[in-house]
Amino acid sequence: MSADTLATVKPAVELEGITKRFPGVVANHDIRITVQPGTVHAIVGENGAGKSTLMKILYGMQKPDEGTIKVNGVEVSFRTPSDAIGVGIGMVHQHFMLADNFTVLENIVLGAEPKKGGRLDTVGARRRITELAGTHGLRVDPDKLVEDLGVGDRQRVEILKVLYRGARILILDEPTAVLVPQEVEELFQNLRELRADGLTVIFISHKLDEVLDIADAITVIRRGTTVAEVDPSEVTARQLAELMVGSELPTPETRESTVTDTVALRAAHLTMEADGHHPLPKGTSITQYADKLRAEGKRLLLDDVSFEIHKGEILGIAGVEGNGQSELIEALMGIRPAHGRIDLDFHDISAWSTLKRREAGIGYIPEDRHRQGLLLEASLWENRVLGHQTRKPARRGIWVDRRASRADTERIVKDYDVRTPSVDTLALALSGGNQQKLIVGREMSGDPAFLIAAHPTRGVDVGAQAAIWDHLRDARAAGLAVLLISADLDELIGLSDSIRVIYRGRLVAALDPSDITPERLGGYMTGAIAGNEET
Amino acid sequence: MPAGLNRALLTVVGAVVAIILAIAICSVAIVIAGGRPLDALAAFFDFGETARAQANSVAAFLNRAVPLYIAGLAVAIGFRMNLFNIGVEGQYRIAAVCAAFVGSTFTAPAPIRITVIILVAAIVGGLYALIPAVMKVTRGVNEVIATIMLNYIAINLSTFLVRGPFAGERAEGQLTTTTPPLPASGMFPDLNFLFEGFGLLPPTRNGGLWGFLVVAAVLGIVIWFVLERTRFGFNVKASGLNSPAALASGVNPKTMVIAAMVLSGAVAGLIGLPEILGDRGAFNSNFTAGLGFLGIAVALLGRNKPGGIAIAALLFAFLDRGQGALQFADVPASVITIIQGAIVLLVVVANEMTNRFALRLEERRAAQQLGRHTPVEVTA
Amino acid sequence: MTRIGKYHVTLIGVAALILLMSLVRIVSGQEDITSSGTFAAALLLAVPIALAGLGGLWAERAGVVNIGLEGMMVLGTWFAGWAGYQWGAVAALVAGLLGGALGGLLHAIATVSFGVDHIISGVAINLLGPGVTRFLSEVLYQEGTSASDAGAGITSSPAISSPAPSISLPVLSDGPDLLGRLENTHWFLLSDLAGILRGLTHDVNVLVIVAVLMLPLTFFVLWHTAFGLRLRSAGENPWAAESLGVNVYLIKYAAVVISGAFAGLGGVFLVFVSTKYVEGQTQGRGFIGLAAMIFGNWRPGGLTAGASLFGYANGLQLRSTGAVTTFFLFGAVLLLAYLVLQVRRLISADRPAELAATSARQYTLMALAALGAVILFWLWLTVGQLPDEFVYITPHVLTLLVLLVASQRLRMPKADGVRYRRGEQH
Amino acid sequence: GNGGGTTADQEPAAGASSAAPGSALKVGLAFDVGGRGDKSFNDAAYAGLEKAKTELGAEIKELSPSADGSNRGDLLRQLADAGFNPIIGVGFAYAEDVKKAAEEYPEIQFAVVDSASNAPNVTGLLFAEEQGSYLAGVAAATKSESGHVGFVGGVESDLIKKFEAGFVAGVKSVKADAKIDIKYLSPDGDFTGFKAPDKGKVAAEKMYQDGADIVYHASGDSGLGVFQAAAAAQKKAIGVDSDQRQTVKETDLQSVIMTSMLKRVDVGVFEFIKAFQGGAKGGANVTYDLKVDGVGLSTTGGEIDDIKDKLDAARKDIVDGKITVPAKP
Ligand SMILES: Nc1ncnc2c1ncn2[C@@H]1O[C@H](COP(=O)(O)OP(=O)(O)OP(=O)(O)O)[C@@H](O)[C@H]1O
Ligand SMILES: Nc1ncnc2c1ncn2[C@@H]1O[C@H](COP(=O)(O)OP(=O)(O)OP(=O)(O)O)[C@@H](O)[C@H]1O
Ligand SMILES: [Mg+2]
Ligand SMILES: [Mg+2]
């Protein structure tokens, strides 16, 4: 740690000519970055530009093919993360790196365990964590299980993990992706404190206004190489974005409303208990039942949720992750039992299986494409069949119609601009954006009446994003009803005809996207603003 | 589909390398044992001097492959969707004892009787597999444990049946307990005419070349169609590759577990039939055991695909046939088990490596053909 | 619930169980239900299962499924026999451990380094274990060798040259043998307790003590040391562990090798009991151990319960065919207890809404329980002797029943059975 | 070969060579599961075979089946195809396979140990285990002080039940009110009961604790456990098949083996080969009973010398047909 005082003149991190090749891809090419100590240094670039790869190299998780790394002026060569930890580097990853079944304390001390006579010194560890949490304003309960924590708390645990190891250089890879504005502000407050304590922060985000807000210096990466080094006080978000992509930016804009009077989907009193599905007591209404459970202090994942979506309408659901969005989707898809009634085109579908619902015309763009959307080790045309096993063109009696499925996949590849050598390519060989376009194309096939689109452009670069938005708008114009769930508030505001906010399983507000700012929306989402705004 | 071809080629190369390695390992063992590896190798290919010996050896080899193949198929159906049916062992024993008994209780023309026997075997095997399936679906009981327990139960239950309710007449001085024997007309016709067709001596081995070989082959083709071409097979594959995605696509996991398990059990039920219908005509207390466990190895070796399983079953049967020949050559016959174990392990390792290599190749090919947004293309 | 709370619940449960056993013994007159002999046998039969289960626990806590325990156990028995006849019990112990560990190493190489599916590798090891040992016997124990003269054959090794010592608790279960005398009085509860204690403390092989100590030791190491934390992290989220500088490969290797060593130790124990290696003496205990571990929710305490259940049912079955029918009585009493609890809840229920909601299901359940109790009671009264085949499967049926009741509360390590590769995420 | 196969020096070439000149007698033998070197049943058969080699100048070949025993029939055929005649299957499990092989090779003489003959060219080599066991029962009952004895069977098969039946009859003949505990370790078809010394120990322990002072076992390797239990309880046990007081090498266990019920498979095998050489044809059963000393009691250790008269009397009654020992319990 004493190196820090000496190093005030020396850069905290110097990356020189870093090159990293993956099979078929050069992720980093001759990257040069200099990070001054005691600053927040932002790195921006579009999806797949190579930011995470670069950070993993700096953290010792991947070895560069070429180039040198200097930390505090000393050249280093890392074999494993422990080498990086050894020189005071810590990293918070793009995805949570937490063991759910462990306590906060166990997650934090893992790999740097304090010992006392052979035992794990939990007492000492708890003291240190509380201390650290106090000084940096990162409140967490060390003895809670991580699986019981919300995303904000998890993010704090991640930062504590890094601080616990005495890191002086922090790498934060998209730490704000899952946070709402208020939580982001809180995080930035923490970061400013850390900076004041002399720590160096390397910060990656796609949200450029955040970057401009917090960063002292910004490096732009495009196609794996550094293209610019800019001062945040001298650029606008728009200029920055154009540097990233090297072209003009699209924005989601609502055009004239296409909302019709016909209700496509009506959900009434959807209620889901946290501790398993129990049958409704005879003679009680769902509302009464929900009231009773609430009174008993039972947690409800969905709490008396009702809404309607008309043909040609996009209903946006805003909410911090973990407030019931996933459960709402699962209830609508029939994956998980819930109380309440769902009508699709005036048919009560609440007792129907997932299959029957899909056959009735519900499309589903899942929130996690790798988990719920794709068979990565199957070909594209087989992925086209997924979800349409019982419908044309995939079905022919008991058989899968391979020829028709292939042909229809060709159509999707063409119409949706899926960049792939052929429809026999395995899905895993495609980039995320192209995988997503395939899914969108698939779910739009067979004229769905109602589409659930969960984070349809998450992790997708700007070009693909614009294309997906266009497809959604076109389908809406053709009368499709869409339930849009997104963490990207600009997308949500830009695409939706109306917005509902979900908070702790309840729909707490109905908002008009035409006069709402992301900040206000964030207020509703975190419960900071209560009440309703009329559409 | 050059990608597919590449992959198949790689797989074959990997398997061959693995088998050569396994043979090398065993050669070392044989040398340590004071034997000569070449003698052992020669013994495996020594099918006997006389035409009669050769015909018998070929029949022994193919007959052994038949139950192994069916066992491999049974196991593979479950494994395709990550459902580990370790209970094939128990399923076939229960099915065999019931089928043998039912087959012997009534008189009917041979085709009907044989059909009934096959049906009973499949139904009993399927029902016995239904138990762990229902336990898994309704109570979340791990199928590995449930089927292991049910194996023990099945072994005892089949013993109880063959000793008690299903016991047949026994000759004076006969010590094996057995179900009543099928009449000669109840046996499955043999395939000895194949030998004659080639101008060879038919095997004198009792039962000759088992006709059930044809059933197994047909079964393999049917299962290939079911797994590769039908919607059910697609759902099995989807559930195996990514169960949450399958669920979201409308596949009911519970139905799938039950269907796959029952199908697996039904096929498992047939494992004992070649022996009953081709040779013994009954189930008795020293009926061949352990085929279910060997089936696991065969299925894994064959990558859970009917074609691969056929090759694996033939390989295992070929090695097993060497049991006597090796002893004639004074080589410890236990090298067979070692070779089998080593081949399974090495082939699987080779599979893993070639698979990974093939995927990487595919990714690279896709990236190259596209020249997509990736920063700089690697020129190969 | 805090740990103290769980601990208390366990104690109460054990006490209730002993009470129940005592009752059933008095009612049925089957002294073997709680006799010291039964418990000694149960211990003897439970230890190898528990050791195999521990092997499974170590591997699976580190995320590697080990279905190859059986093969590793076989290796353990053979090497223990081979070293034991030449150099005595200590050598047998070491060699058996190493033999099992060797199997573990093979499994680790396949699964950790080459990413082979864990079940596949395990199956291969189960093939290899018996094959290799048979081969070694054929080579080393063939006629004319000195081993053969010492009593070896293809299917067995010579007896180990110095058997492992056994010890008893002085005064209480040996010498004056106070517990033994108390047991023979056949008093209610007291004699039962004495029988149980004596069975567990009289003439106990040192390896039993070692094995029993391994359970708390495992708990301590896995849950209270840095190494244990890292090991479990490899089973819960290896990528998180990797990102914190934990060498996940090394940890997994260590865990699987230790796992094999435990299986080997189980083999050594079998050899100590029979004083020699006998081909086929593991009798599927590797699988049963795995079952006991899953039964025990991947925890040493639960595993102990699972192994004990197996050992007890098996021991009782071997000692007394008649006593097994009292399991019907056990079952009837348990169902009755459940009924009484349910009725009490119904009577004291002051939430009519809840009652209405669940009543239909509950009444069916209660009716079924009542019916079951009656049937079991009737079976106990009428069935004098079960066919042996049904007696042999008692432990397996009991395991299935318990799993049916308790399975939904089980939680396995999250990344158990997952192929982990460094630098590759999920 | 380095002695692993006894025919190595005579038959250097691999595979089935044609008839070696000078040796007209080529005897093939197929073991039961477990195979050569099991120090028990299979080895006893081998001893007879080896005796035929030295005394009759036979060329011999012996094969062990695979672990699951699925290839018993194939081994017989391989021997037949290689020109061996006669061919012997060891163990009742061979009954069916020998019968079928005999049909296929009518020119070859077969024998099957422990199973009745069922074809013109098959000789059934049977052993009157029940008679030997009867003597064991007499010895046990006479020597027992408590009037309480036990029997541990390995697998509940009909073969082992013959042992039980004879033993029980023998005991009852001496003490009609004697208590006899009977326990089997595994059911028929599950042969693990022959390989479970620990289970044998538990079962015997219980008998000794309940007051039995002599336990007779017919449980293969599991008998080791019975002897251990006897040693721990300082009581006696009766061995089976071979003279276990000699084959068991542990001195502390030797002393508990009061006697062993001998089953002279070696005699049966040798006599069969000798008869074959003399031109005998099959189609009949040869029962090796007390009369021809095919079964009997061992006397090593001299523990039953004091009741020799009683045993001889029982033996005589059986030989004379005054007593018929039941073969089923
Ligand atoms: N392990 C890997 N193997 C092969 N290619 C990889 C690997 N990791 C990353 N890549 C490729 O390297 C490129 C850079 O990826 P990286 O994850 O660094 O991008 P990123 O800038 O962090 O993107 P995002 O904003 O989506 O997080 C991508 O094209 C990706 O396909
Ligand atoms: N861990 C990994 N192992 C192997 N390949 C990887 C890995 N991560 C990413 N890739 C490869 O990177 C490419 C896509 O990665 P990613 O999802 O980051 O896309 P991307 O570069 O962000 O593309 P897009 O901008 O379209 O989303 C694929 O070729 C994929 O095979
Ligand atoms: Mg990406
Ligand atoms: Mg990234």
Side-chain angles (χ1 to χ4, degrees), chain B residues 5-371:
Chain B
L5 206 69
N6 260 341
R7 241 176 128 167
L9 239 151
L10 268 173
T11 309
V12 170
V13 170
V16 168
V17 169
I19 290 174
I20 292 175
L21 258 176
I23 291 173
I25 289 174
C26 287
S27 302
V28 172
I30 292 169
V31 168
I32 292 171
R36 283 197 310 238
L38 279 181
D39 286 359
L41 204 64
F44 276 121
F45 288 97
D46 175 15
F47 275 44
E49 304 271 286
T50 60
R52 182 179 195 178
Q54 285 161 2
N56 276 339
S57 294
V58 170
F61 157 45
L62 292 177
N63 287 351
R64 174 71 173 168
V66 174
L68 285 178
Y69 180 56
I70 302 176
L73 287 178
V75 171
I77 294 168
F79 275 27
R80 288 271 281 216
M81 55 175 285
N82 293 333
L83 195 64
F84 292 105
N85 182 6
I86 310 288
V88 169
E89 179 74 19
Q91 288 147 19
Y92 93 80
R93 283 183 80 92
I94 286 281
V97 69
C98 294
F101 176 71
V102 171
S104 66
T105 49
F106 66 99
T107 29
I112 296 179
R113 187 198 292 263
I114 289 174
T115 312
V116 168
I117 291 176
I118 292 179
L119 282 180
V120 168
I123 290 171
V124 172
L127 284 180
Y128 200 66
L130 185 63
I131 301 173
V134 168
M135 286 176 77
K136 183 180 177 75
V137 165
T138 57
R139 305 293 307 172
V141 177
N142 182 314
E143 81 276 8
V144 174
I145 296 304
T147 50
I148 288 176
M149 293 298 123
L150 284 165
N151 278 344
Y152 287 96
I153 295 174
I155 290 169
N156 283 286
L157 207 57
S158 58
T159 304
F160 169 75
L161 291 174
V162 75
R163 278 210 312 161
F166 292 179
E169 291 278 307
R170 279 195 283 165
E172 181 61 34
Q174 181 190 343
L175 290 170
T176 44
T177 41
T178 170
T179 57
L182 295 176
S185 71
M187 305 290 276
F188 208 92
D190 63 37
L191 292 178
N192 286 351
F193 64 87
L194 284 183
F195 286 83
E196 284 153 16
F198 285 106
L200 300 170
L201 207 64
T204 56
R205 184 189 198 292
N206 191 283
L209 182 59
W210 291 341
F212 216 79
L213 180 67
V214 177
V215 178
V218 171
L219 187 69
I221 293 170
V222 169
I223 287 181
W224 182 85
F225 265 101
V226 169
L227 291 180
E228 303 287 341
R229 290 290 185 263
T230 63
R231 293 189 287 120
F232 171 75
F234 181 88
N235 289 348
V236 167
K237 180 174 180 181
S239 308
L241 287 178
N242 186 350
S243 66
L247 178 65
S249 83
V251 176
N252 183 340
K254 294 188 173 179
T255 323
M256 288 308 292
V257 166
I258 291 194
M261 204 71 178
V262 168
L263 182 62
S264 170
V267 175
L270 306 183
I271 296 171
L273 293 191
E275 192 173 334
I276 292 174
L277 295 176
D279 187 0
R280 291 182 193 277
F283 178 94
N284 62 17
S285 49
N286 50 350
F287 198 78
T288 305
L291 289 169
F293 291 114
L294 282 176
I296 298 176
V298 169
L300 298 176
L301 199 58
R303 307 188 85 177
N304 297 328
K305 299 205 172 90
I309 296 169
I311 296 172
L314 286 171
L315 179 62
F316 264 53
F318 177 78
L319 293 172
D320 279 340
R321 195 223 53 104
Q323 187 87 27
L326 281 179
Q327 294 181 64
F328 270 112
D330 291 324
V331 177
S334 48
V335 296
I336 292 171
T337 327
I338 300 184
I339 289 203
Q340 287 175 341
I343 286 182
V344 170
L345 207 56
L346 289 169
V347 164
V348 161
V349 167
N351 265 346
E352 200 54 46
M353 287 166 63
T354 49
N355 206 11
R356 211 173 282 163
F357 186 68
L359 291 184
R360 186 150 315 156
L361 221 63
E362 170 115 356
E363 269 169 29
R364 183 178 314 190
R365 218 170 44 88
Q368 269 172 3
Q369 288 193 9
L370 286 175

Side-chain angles (χ1 to χ4, degrees), chain A residues 22 25 27 46-53 62 94 174 206, chain B residues 373-374:
Chain A
F22 287 117
V25 178
E46 63 174 320
N47 285 129
K51 307 176 295 289
S52 297
T53 306
Q62 259 155 7
Q94 191 167 352
E174 295 196 38
H206 285 290
Chain B
H373 74 288
T374 45

